[in-house]
């Protein structure tokens, strides 16, 4: 079983975005930062509300922009983080020459494992190395470590059935279930 495709910087950026949204480490880090930021943004209004000589309702009315800040932060930070991650991925991928990193790629499945063939050389992994398989609408990511994966765009297949058969072939040989994302 084989898939041939043109690997692009957008494909690799999609992997980075998918990985950052599913990684427990990244999610914990982001949650901690968000909670810390909201608490920090709430500290000044809380201080003003608790130390003011005026009634709380009157003080709250006077400092409403400070109270709205944390809510607006939460609304805007999630889309911003997604945009920023995608943008940063693109910028990192433009560093260096990346000779042979993009371009024509073939991923072959055989009894021993997976072999990716590019202009820059071959990369092989045994089936036991497959840790996770994630399927999105546009890509299939076959993880062989916590941060490394074979990136297969769904456009590599003529039909969605071909893509599903390829996923099934990887899943059956590796013993790892496909996770939809």
């Amino acid at each position: 079983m084989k898939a041939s495709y043109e690997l692009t910087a957008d494909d690799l950026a999609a992997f980075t975005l998918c990985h950052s949204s599913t990684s427990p480490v990244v999610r914990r880090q982001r949650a901690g930062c968000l909670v810390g930021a909201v608490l920090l943004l709430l500290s000044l209004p809380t201080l003003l509300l608790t130390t003011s000589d005026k009634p709380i309702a009157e003080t709250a009315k006077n400092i409403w922009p400070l109270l709205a800040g944390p809510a607006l932060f939460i609304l805007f930070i999630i889309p911003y983080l997604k945009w920023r991650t995608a943008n940063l991925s693109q910028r990192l991928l433009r560093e260096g020459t990346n000779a042979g990193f993009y371009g024509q790629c073939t991923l072959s499945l055989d009894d021993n494992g997976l072999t990716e063939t590019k202009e820059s050389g071959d990369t092989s992994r045994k089936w036991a190395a497959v840790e996770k398989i994630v399927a999105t609408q546009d890509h299939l990511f076959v993880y062989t470590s916590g941060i490394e994966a074979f990136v297969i765009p769904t456009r590599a297949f003529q039909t969605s059935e071909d893509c599903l058969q390829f996923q099934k072939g990887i899943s059956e040989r590796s013993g790892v279930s496909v996770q939809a994302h």
Side-chain angles (χ1 to χ4, degrees):
M1 203 175 266
K2 197 180 279 194
S4 294
Y5 48 92
E6 186 81 15
L7 190 65
T8 68
D10 288 339
D11 295 324
L12 297 169
F15 167 69
T16 303
L17 193 58
C18 178
H19 181 71
S20 68
S21 70
T22 60
S23 166
V25 171
V26 173
R27 292 178 71 146
R28 274 192 306 273
Q29 179 74 25
R30 282 188 180 161
C33 289
L34 289 174
V35 168
V38 169
L39 290 175
L40 187 64
L41 288 170
L42 283 172
S43 64
L44 181 60
T46 302
L47 183 66
L48 291 172
L49 286 170
T50 58
T51 60
S52 176
D53 294 335
K54 296 179 182 177
I56 290 179
E58 185 181 336
T59 304
K61 182 180 173 188
N62 291 335
I63 65 165
W64 72 265
L66 290 176
L67 295 170
L72 291 172
F73 175 79
I74 291 169
L75 284 174
F76 288 104
I77 195 65
I78 304 298
Y80 171 76
L81 286 174
K82 287 181 180 180
W83 172 83
R84 183 73 178 137
T85 300
N87 184 277
L88 182 60
S89 297
Q90 289 285 354
R91 289 174 48 201
L92 288 170
L93 290 167
R94 284 194 298 266
E95 287 182 352
T97 58
N98 299 315
F101 196 63
Y102 309 119
Q104 191 59 36
C105 183
T106 301
L107 185 65
S108 304
L109 315 181
D110 62 31
D111 292 337
N112 297 320
L114 304 108
T115 301
E116 180 183 61
T117 304
K118 296 181 184 176
E119 178 185 317
S120 59
D122 297 344
T123 303
S124 295
R125 297 287 184 269
K126 294 185 179 195
W127 289 116
V130 176
E131 294 184 5
K132 181 167 65 168
I133 305 166
V134 178
T136 69
Q137 182 177 341
D138 298 321
H139 294 88
L140 179 64
F141 305 117
V142 182
Y143 282 79
T144 55
S145 78
I147 59 169
E148 177 186 55
F150 290 109
V151 177
I152 306 110
T154 55
R155 66 179 181 276
F157 306 97
Q158 292 201 0
T159 67
S160 58
E161 183 59 35
D162 291 342
C163 183
L164 289 173
Q165 286 302 316
F166 197 79
Q167 287 178 30
K168 185 177 176 185
I170 295 171
S171 181
E172 286 176 352
R173 288 178 171 129
S174 67
V176 177
S177 298
V178 178
Q179 301 171 13
H181 177 69

